[in-house]
């Protein structure tokens, strides 16, 4: 039974570019949440997707957007990258919005 | 809004010694409480959680945490650590509010176990 899978594992981008990160939830899960973990800090909530809609959003600018597909997989898009966007991006899935989260291993994004 | 403070950023400890990781939180509503562990180059794994009932919760690998409502704390303890417990530990809270499911994390405590 595959857990939460994220791709790519590592990514290097230049300031101003755009990036798309992908997440496949654990089998049986229908809800996907995204978190940003900067170096030396705890994860910060970006948003949550359920039934293909953004259900809840954290304190992140509109440059951060997402999508959930009918198969429950999800994408995180970041436009106009800044150096400060360098972080580990974690995807977590759950069986419903209020259920325990299962985290993937993350995508390490470096912006130069 | 919720906030979480982990009082120790790094905790070095010898193998078979006890360890305590301190966590305090602030919230205007009641919360669920969690401890997550993150091993190098991996995502977060749920260690234990407090939802309701007994204020002392235990994990399968010997960790325990006690919810103290009056002190708004949820400290994590283990009576005897192993080398394999070397990891980063995060305390987190989630509000008991309908349609608000986000986790708010502390900054983490790095535990290094030495032989």
């Amino acid at each position: 039974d595959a857990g939460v899978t994220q791709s790519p594992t590592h990514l290097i981008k230049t300031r101003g570019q755009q990036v798309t990160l992908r997440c496949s939830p654990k089998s049986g899960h229908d809800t996907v949440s995204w978190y940003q973990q900067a170096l030396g800090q705890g994860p910060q909530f970006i948003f949550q997707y359920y039934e293909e809609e953004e259900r809840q959003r954290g304190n992140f600018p509109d440059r951060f957007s997402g999508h959930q597909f009918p198969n429950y997989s999800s994408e995180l898009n970041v436009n106009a990258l800044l150096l400060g966007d360098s972080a580990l991006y974690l995807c977590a899935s759950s069986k419903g919005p209020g259920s325990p989260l299962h985290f993937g291993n993350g995508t390490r994004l470096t912006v130069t | 809004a919720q906030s979480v403070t982990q009082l120790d950023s790094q905790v070095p400890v010898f193998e078979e010694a006890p360890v305590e990781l301190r966590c305090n939180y602030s919230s205007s509503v009641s919360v669920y409480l969690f401890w997550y562990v993150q091993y190098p180059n991996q995502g977060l794994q749920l260690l234990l959680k407090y939802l309701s009932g007994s204020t002392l919760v235990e994990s399968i690998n010997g960790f325990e945490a006690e919810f103290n409502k009056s002190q708004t704390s949820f400290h994590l303890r283990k009576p005897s650590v192993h080398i394999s417990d070397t990891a980063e530990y995060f305390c987190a809270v989630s509000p008991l509010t309908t349609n608000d499911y986000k986790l708010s994390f502390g900054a983490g405590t790095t535990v290094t176990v030495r032989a």
Side-chain angles (χ1 to χ4, degrees):
Chain A
D1 178 23
V4 179
T5 57
Q6 293 186 242
S7 63
T9 55
H10 295 81
L11 202 53
I12 300 175
K13 289 287 188 178
T14 304
R15 273 180 300 176
Q17 286 188 317
Q18 177 264 344
V19 68
T20 298
L21 311 182
R22 296 177 175 83
C23 173
S24 293
K26 181 180 169 67
S27 178
H29 287 187
D30 58 8
T31 304
V32 173
S33 302
W34 287 92
Y35 286 79
Q36 180 196 64
Q37 186 179 11
L39 197 62
Q41 298 183 24
Q44 300 288 321
F45 175 75
I46 303 175
F47 41 53
Q48 182 186 74
Y49 276 85
Y50 174 63
E51 294 184 333
E52 300 181 50
E53 291 187 10
E54 182 182 291
R55 295 291 178 163
Q56 191 176 3
R57 188 178 183 92
N59 190 24
F60 278 80
D62 292 344
R63 298 187 297 109
F64 289 76
S65 63
H67 189 77
Q68 186 179 35
F69 299 93
N71 67 352
Y72 309 120
S73 67
S74 177
E75 290 182 350
L76 163 66
N77 301 292
V78 187
N79 294 323
L81 284 167
L82 304 173
L83 294 179
D85 295 331
S86 295
L88 180 68
Y89 287 85
L90 295 166
C91 171
S93 72
S94 59
K95 209 171 192 177
S99 298
L101 298 181
H102 293 250
F103 283 85
N105 287 340
T107 294
R108 174 75 63 186
L109 172 65
T110 302
V111 182
T112 62
Chain B
Q2 292 74 45
S3 67
V4 178
T5 302
Q6 292 185 241
L7 298 163
D8 309 287
S9 60
Q10 300 202 26
V11 174
V13 59
F14 286 106
E15 193 174 19
E16 298 183 6
V19 70
E20 179 181 70
L21 309 183
R22 296 178 293 168
C23 172
N24 288 96
Y25 70 92
S26 172
S27 176
S28 56
V29 301
S30 296
V31 295
Y32 297 128
L33 296 133
F34 306 84
W35 276 99
Y36 283 84
V37 58
Q38 186 175 35
Y39 299 102
N41 301 313
Q42 293 188 25
L44 280 72
Q45 299 175 29
L46 180 63
L47 194 57
L48 45 75
K49 61 186 183 229
Y50 172 78
L51 304 181
S52 64
S54 172
T55 57
L56 184 66
V57 291
E58 299 177 354
S59 71
I60 58 172
N61 54 358
F63 283 94
E64 64 178 30
E66 186 160 19
F67 170 50
N68 187 317
K69 188 173 182 179
S70 63
Q71 298 186 6
T72 60
S73 67
F74 190 54
H75 301 334
L76 181 70
R77 303 182 184 92
K78 188 170 185 180
S80 176
V81 297
H82 304 290
I83 297 289
S84 59
D85 293 322
T86 294
E88 189 150 23
Y89 293 79
F90 292 95
C91 181
V93 301
S94 178
L96 267 75
T97 306
T98 304
N99 297 325
D100 187 351
Y101 304 112
K102 67 179 180 292
L103 284 173
S104 297
F105 287 86
T109 298
T110 301
V111 173
T112 304
V113 181
R114 303 169 182 170

